[in-house]
Every structure is written in structure tokens, then in C-alpha cells.
Amino acid sequence: YLLGVKAGVPVMMGFIPVGIAYAIMARQGGFSVAQTCLMSLSVFAGASQMMAAGMYGQGAGMAAIILTTFILNLRHIIMSVCVAERMGKVPLPARFLAAFGVTDESFAIFTTTERKNCTIWFFLGIITVTYSSWNVGTLIGAVFSDLLPALVTVALGVSLYAMFTALLV
């Protein structure tokens, strides 16, 4: 577990600022602080969260947001299968928990580590760090987004819309 935590620490440096950026985008899109944080706690898929917040802010319907999010996250099915295979025999509830924590970053760390470390505990260590840092970043961004000058939040929003539109395409 602690090896997984250690392996996940570098990701924290990226997740906190991107979590802040997501929160700013969600708040600009009309989400409350609580909704912004609840989305990060329950979804934990940065690209999808940003895309959904942007679409919501543009007035898209829920069906379009859900379908687009589903399509964007199809890659997680493949990544989750690879992670589960690499872990070996693990109880089903632990597999579900691991699947929830699969991100591009946790997948990359786990699948490139030595096979002997590929345990459920190692992966749980990774996702403890990634999930916590994503949610800390979200909380910081949600709470402090109203304090930033409008020019800064607009500039962040425009660049994030462009980046995630490119990702979606």
C-alpha cells in the first residue's frame, strides 16, 4: 500500500492544479460549490467532469451530457480489464473499488510497475493519492473561484474548453 502511495505522489502535483481548474470551470458553468465537489467525489474522471461542466454551462441537455461522458470514458473499460488482469485473483468488491479509481495516470503507473508489486494494495495506495489530490484541488478551486479576478477565470475557462473539445474530438 505504501509503495503505491509513494508511486502516486508525483501525480498529485498535476491533479491538484487540474482539479482547481475543473472547479473554476464548473462554477463558471453554474454549479454550486457543493455540486462541484460532489461531482468530483462521485465521478472521478477529470476529462469527463470538465466536458460535462462545459456542456452544462452551454445549456446542453442531460441526455447529451450522459452520452458524451459515456463515449469519452469507454477507454476506462479497457484500462480496468488490464488492471484487473494484472492484479490476479481479487475479490469482486475490491475489483469494483479498483475500477472506480482507474484514471489514465493510475493505469500508467500500475501497468508499468514491476509485476511483483501489482497487487490490489499497491493500486489502492495509488488511487488513495490520486483521488484525494483530485478532490483537494476541486475543493480549493470551488471555494476560491469567486475570489479570482474575472479575467483569470475567463482565460482559464477558454483554454480548458479548447483543450477538452480537442480531447473529445
Side-chain angles (χ1 to χ4, degrees), residues 80-163:
S80 293
V81 169
C82 291
V83 165
E85 183 277 325
R86 203 160 158 90
M87 277 181 202
K89 230 172 163 100
V90 174
L92 190 59
R95 286 179 188 259
F96 282 140
L97 179 59
F100 176 75
V102 171
T103 63
D104 298 328
E105 296 79 7
S106 63
F107 173 79
I109 293 168
F110 190 74
T111 57
T112 58
T113 197
E114 292 182 44
R115 189 79 160 172
K116 67 179 182 175
N117 290 334
C118 291
T119 66
I120 184 66
W121 291 109
F122 182 82
F123 194 73
L124 290 176
I126 295 169
I127 65 174
T128 297
V129 173
T130 57
Y131 183 74
S132 299
S133 60
W134 177 256
N135 282 286
V136 165
T138 297
L139 180 63
I140 292 168
V143 170
F144 291 104
S145 63
D146 294 335
L147 303 176
L148 292 173
L151 183 61
V152 172
T153 58
V154 169
L156 271 173
V158 169
S159 65
L160 288 171
Y161 282 121
M163 181 174 69

Side-chain angles (χ1 to χ4, degrees), residues 28-68:
Q28 285 178 339
F31 287 31
S32 69
V33 170
Q35 290 168 326
T36 300
C37 292
L38 184 59
M39 189 174 203
S40 281
L41 288 167
S42 60
V43 176
F44 190 44
S48 296
Q49 288 177 238
M50 288 188 180
M51 184 267 322
M55 288 179 72
Y56 180 80
Q58 297 289 324
M62 280 300 138
I65 293 170
I66 291 168
L67 178 63
T68 306

